[in-house]
Amino acid sequence: MFRPSNGMSRRRLIKTGMAGILATGVSPLIFSKGAWAQEFCNNPTGATVTFGLNLPLTGAYAEEGADEQKAYELAIKHLNGEGDGGLINVLKPTALKGNGILGKKVEYVTSDSQTLSDVARAGATRMIERDGAIMITGGSSSGEAIAVQSLCQEMGVIFMAGLTHSNDTTGKDKRRYGFRHFFNAYQSGIGLGPVLGKEYGNERRAYHLTADYTWGWTQQESIKNATEALGWETVQTVLTPLGAGDFSQFLTPVLNSGADVLILNHYGNDMVNSLTQAVQFGMRDRQANGKNFEIVTPLISELMAKGAGENVKGIFGTSNWHWALQDEGSQAFTRSFGAAYGSPPSQAAHTAYVQALLYADAVERAGTFYPPEVIKALEGHEFDGMGNGPTLYRAEDHQCMKSVLVVRGNENPTSQFDVLNVVQEVSREDSTYDPAMFGGDLGPAEPAPLCT
Amino acid sequence: MTTFMSRRDLILFFGFAAVVLLLPILAQPFGAAYPDLLQRFMIFGIFAIGFNILFGLTGYLSFGHAAFFGVGSYAAMWSFKLLSTNALPAIIFAVVIAGVFALAIGFVSLRRSGIYFSILTLAFAQMSYNLAYSVLTPITNGETGLRMAIADPRVLDRLFFEAPVAQPVPSLFGFSLSGWNGFFFSAIFLLATFFLAMRITNSPFGMMLKGIKSNQNRMNYTGFNTRPYTLTAFVISGMLAGLAGALLVVTDPLAGAERMRWTASGEVVLMTILGGVGTLVGPVLGAWIIKYFENIFSSFNDNILSAFFSFLPEGAREIAVTVSSKFVGDGWHLTLGLVFVLIVVFLPGGIMEGVRRIAARFSKADRDGTARERRLAPKAAE
């Protein structure tokens, strides 16, 4: 039994204790709120500002990562007023002056994400915590992009996604601090569907091989929906591990499955391997169900087409951008990139370069590096001249709305870079979709989290 | 024994604690003094100490410890998603689940010893990895990794607080556990683990494990059933791996399958061998060195190198940058491999043997040769 005369009662002790715990837990939140409106993660106070480039330099998407790095280095040169200025001269409207960002010279740090989500996050954290990066950008895998994007939201640092094509990046897993210029699997489906229908007819049986992560899943779903809308039948969908190297065990069952179209939802080195092996299995010379057997690669880039060589001839896919486009922006970028590195840029390089410029432009327009203001400047921003026609950074999901390219492997390449032909440019109106379709929640911009 | 700890152990523990807690200052000259890396130092220190309780004391080389690490991560993440953003239930849940998992795998694997045991654990770990990567994707979310979402149930939190609008993050009674808080939080667990390992090593149970390492047959012939001892060591070690996995999720809320891959299992073996098998401090040092290489060496690019070699004339600088760039950046594995080979060839007992040799050289004057000889004598093989 407790004795009320002897000091504190048990009840009183518990009450005070709980109150104490609550007070210490809650009060920092109250006092810090709004106290330093312009105090934020890695507020650049010196004469320079640092970009954090998170690039897959090893792993299945290493080649894209290397090309992105070249593009970022070029973009940073142009932002600092070195070189020929590249797309700064053609971006409309533009606030860029070619003297860095808000007068601060742009520098960069890099990290090898190894095409792995865990490593990408560790690298991004290092660049934010140790190297003081104001913005994180890059990546060539949607797994990485989604992992880093949610980290950036927690840290209060803007993430300008590199190449990421999963619907989830700006759908289910969208974040207020994450922005994507690249198109997505759903838009690939919109573009590719009608072309496939026209070329291969409405009675086809499709077999999917799919990279086993967020991008593969959503691309398979989108392409499956688009082809089934044409009247195609989906025979089977098989998931393959990322970076598998050897796909023969997955390709053998295709031959006896009764399918007459193989859809390869692979990217990077994986696609080079799976496509090459499929051709070596004689799939393109086969007849099935009385039709020619066909292979489709819904997302393809020049780097992969180059890697697959002869095997890519006549194969359909979609791209975000192509260096042979004739508009002023594309030509300016191809010229600058070619002069610097001696080869035309890939779509990965293009999206990386454009993202760096768009971030810089948004900061100039906002007049501050304070992330919530920069986010406001990017949301709903309408611009032109970057090679994809008039483009909108949609406020609801941070996805760029622009035209999408349907491409086909070139039958008669004139040079080693002339590997893809643009078959059709799908207009922005046609590739726009309802942002509510994929769900997800952007979360708040303010209060801006303070990284330590 | 009436004394709780020997004087020597007390000094070792407090020395270790001082180094760990002063790391934010001590790591400054090496460019490693940022929370994320120091958190990893703590977490992988725990992982390596736990692994050493099995490998260092009993001599059983498990090639599948990353499985327990990963299971701990997933368990902690599910606790965040279903129960509460508080770190304590997550850690308890993770340690229990990893313990149960270790009990099951250990029960089967420990029926064999030597290479067969290693292969069995490797097989189990690889199975777990494949399950997490492509079979149990509703639970693990595959390659994309499991994250917290605003819409998660979090039953306990919803009972007491309103549903938050912001992205949820792990916390400890309202304190955020990212950044330096996360470092000190993990440091407390590292010190506790170190203390536990120290007590186990010096206990009768620890002596029994060492006996198993030096000659298991002899132990059996004298009437001991060694299986329960090895199984206990295996489970403790698995639980510590689970604790490390949970802490990684607490400080960085993402649970991915790649941390269960065989390379991650191999990494903890490297850490232990690099630092010194069977020593207390060695595995922690090994973990720090490997994580340092992974995070710092891999970040050197050509710009940093040319700044480093800026004292050289133009042509020589180019050559120096080209040559050294092969060993840093994405080539950091090459440097780590070289360091590993050098250590294993010249210091078979790991870094701790080097430390002992240096200490012995300094104290040569006041100690007689036999004592030194005894301390340097290699441990009996299995």
Side-chain angles (χ1 to χ4, degrees), chain A residues 125-414:
Chain A
T125 318
R126 171 179 59 74
M127 293 192 287
I128 295 169
E129 288 183 344
R130 191 188 70 159
D131 305 328
I134 184 72
M135 180 271 281
I136 299 293
T137 183
S140 186
S141 141
S142 295
E144 275 175 34
I146 290 171
V148 174
Q149 177 165 291
S150 61
L151 172 90
C152 285
Q153 177 94 0
E154 285 152 24
M155 294 277 216
V157 170
I158 289 183
F159 174 63
M160 301 297 281
L163 193 154
T164 153
H165 186 246
S166 169
N167 294 338
D168 292 346
T169 314
T170 51
K172 181 164 80 53
D173 294 308
K174 63 190 174 191
R175 291 285 183 272
R176 183 69 64 182
Y177 281 73
F179 288 87
R180 169 162 71 176
H181 170 262
F182 208 69
F183 71 138
N184 62 27
Y186 184 74
Q187 294 175 311
S188 284
I190 297 175
L192 201 53
V195 176
L196 291 181
K198 206 175 79 196
E199 290 285 331
Y200 299 148
N202 295 332
E203 284 175 26
R204 284 282 187 171
R205 292 162 62 78
Y207 193 107
H208 287 257
L209 285 186
T210 303
D212 191 3
Y213 70 106
T214 170
W215 167 67
W217 303 336
T218 64
Q219 174 163 304
Q220 176 185 304
E221 187 195 345
S222 296
I223 300 298
K224 195 168 161 249
N225 291 343
T227 51
E228 283 179 357
L230 292 173
W232 291 22
E233 191 187 329
T234 306
V235 180
Q236 203 170 355
T237 59
V238 174
L239 297 172
T240 64
L242 178 63
D246 181 13
F247 290 90
S248 46
Q249 55 165 319
F250 302 108
L251 288 166
T252 324
V254 178
L255 298 170
N256 302 318
S257 64
D260 47 38
V261 178
L262 172 64
I263 297 176
L264 292 175
N265 297 308
H266 290 149
Y267 194 73
N269 208 22
D270 279 4
M271 139 113 41
V272 172
N273 288 335
S274 64
L275 178 59
T276 308
Q277 286 178 350
V279 174
Q280 281 166 358
F281 271 55
M283 288 196 187
R284 301 201 65 191
D285 310 321
R286 279 183 86 233
Q287 295 273 318
N289 309 330
K291 304 183 189 79
N292 281 330
F293 193 94
E294 304 290 351
I295 301 176
V296 178
T297 57
L299 177 65
I300 190 160
S301 82
E302 311 71 52
L303 292 174
M304 284 141 53
K306 218 167 82 190
E310 290 280 307
N311 305 322
V312 81
K313 283 184 179 175
I315 284 184
F316 284 102
T318 57
S319 283
N320 187 56
W321 178 80
H322 192 272
W323 62 271
L325 289 175
Q326 289 304 308
D327 64 286
E328 202 188 352
S330 301
Q331 295 213 320
F333 182 52
T334 307
R335 220 172 17 248
S336 296
F337 194 92
Y341 306 112
S343 64
S346 66
Q347 60 174 351
H350 173 254
T351 200
Y353 181 96
V354 172
Q355 284 281 67
L357 251 58
L358 287 177
Y359 172 80
D361 179 62
V363 173
E364 289 282 355
R365 283 186 290 118
T368 170
F369 286 98
Y370 182 54
E373 291 300 322
V374 180
I375 291 171
K376 267 183 221 152
L378 277 168
E379 284 179 345
H381 180 50
E382 179 78 52
F383 59 93
D384 195 2
M386 301 301 253
N388 302 98
T391 308
L392 167 71
Y393 237 128
R394 198 154 68 173
E396 292 83 3
D397 58 357
H398 295 183
Q399 170 71 48
C400 269
M401 287 297 134
K402 54 188 167 30
S403 56
V404 170
L405 305 179
V406 179
V407 295
R408 184 172 200 178
N410 196 346
E411 299 279 3
N412 304 302
T414 52

Side-chain angles (χ1 to χ4, degrees), chain B residues 42-51 186 189-190 193 240 243-244 247:
Chain B
M42 301 301 108
I43 291 163
F44 285 92
I46 294 172
F47 190 23
I49 289 180
F51 180 76
S186 324
F189 281 95
L190 176 66
T193 309
L240 288 175
L243 169 67
L247 283 173

Side-chain angles (χ1 to χ4, degrees), chain A residues 57-58 108 110 112 116-118 121-122 125-126 129-130 146 150 154 173 175 212-214 217 242 452, chain B residues 31 34-36 40 133-134 141 143-144 147 167 169 179 252-254 258-259 295-296 299 301 303 330:
Chain A
L57 300 174
T58 48
Y108 68 95
T110 55
D112 176 12
L116 297 173
S117 312
D118 259 6
R121 261 175 97 99
T125 318
R126 171 179 59 74
E129 288 183 344
R130 191 188 70 159
I146 290 171
S150 61
E154 285 152 24
D173 294 308
R175 291 285 183 272
D212 191 3
Y213 70 106
T214 170
W217 303 336
L242 178 63
T452 31
Chain B
Y34 63 99
D36 183 61
R40 274 164 215 276
Y133 192 93
S134 48
N141 205 21
E143 209 276 334
T144 320
R147 273 157 301 116
Q167 177 67 21
V169 284
D252 181 13
L254 172 103
E258 61 246 34
R259 64 183 61 162
N295 287 280
I296 305 297
S299 73
N301 52 29
N303 281 358
D330 44 22

Side-chain angles (χ1 to χ4, degrees), chain B residues 72-289:
Chain B
S73 286
Y74 284 120
M77 184 51 89
W78 275 109
S79 162
F80 286 142
K81 287 171 89 71
L82 297 179
L83 292 176
S84 161
T85 56
N86 195 315
L88 289 184
I91 287 174
I92 295 167
F93 187 56
V95 170
V96 170
I97 297 281
V100 172
F101 207 68
L103 187 66
I105 290 186
F107 184 76
V108 178
S109 307
L110 284 166
R111 291 171 177 273
R112 293 286 172 268
S113 61
I115 185 74
Y116 302 103
F117 170 78
S118 304
I119 295 296
L120 275 175
T121 50
L122 176 63
F124 276 117
Q126 200 57 18
M127 278 192 270
S128 316
Y129 166 69
N130 280 327
L131 282 178
Y133 192 93
S134 48
V135 181
L136 297 175
T137 40
I139 300 176
T140 61
N141 205 21
E143 209 276 334
T144 320
L146 200 60
R147 273 157 301 116
M148 297 163 83
I150 302 177
D152 288 336
R154 288 192 296 281
V155 212
L156 287 180
D157 286 4
R158 299 268 156 107
L159 275 181
F160 298 111
F161 311 104
E162 274 179 55
V165 282
Q167 177 67 21
V169 284
S171 61
L172 187 70
F173 303 112
F175 288 98
S176 155
L177 284 176
S178 60
W180 289 114
N181 291 352
F183 164 70
F184 286 111
F185 185 71
S186 324
I188 291 168
F189 281 95
L190 176 66
L191 294 180
T193 309
F194 187 77
F195 183 75
L196 176 79
M198 207 170 200
R199 298 300 294 161
I200 288 181
T201 312
N202 296 335
S203 67
F205 171 67
M207 293 307 293
M208 206 71 81
L209 296 181
K210 284 181 213 165
I212 293 171
K213 181 179 185 176
S214 71
N215 196 332
Q216 181 153 209
N217 285 337
R218 196 184 294 157
M219 294 284 285
N220 285 329
Y221 291 152
T222 48
F224 281 106
N225 182 4
T226 52
R227 182 89 52 79
Y229 291 98
T230 47
L231 187 59
T232 312
F234 192 85
V235 171
I236 292 176
S237 153
M239 285 166 93
L240 288 175
L243 169 67
L247 283 173
L248 193 58
V249 166
V250 167
T251 53
D252 181 13
L254 172 103
E258 61 246 34
R259 64 183 61 162
M260 294 174 90
R261 216 172 18 187
W262 67 272
T263 48
S265 296
E267 198 179 62
V268 73
V269 181
L270 285 190
M271 287 170 179
T272 313
I273 294 177
L274 194 62
V277 182
T279 61
L280 281 167
V281 186
V284 181
L285 283 183
W288 291 1
I289 288 171

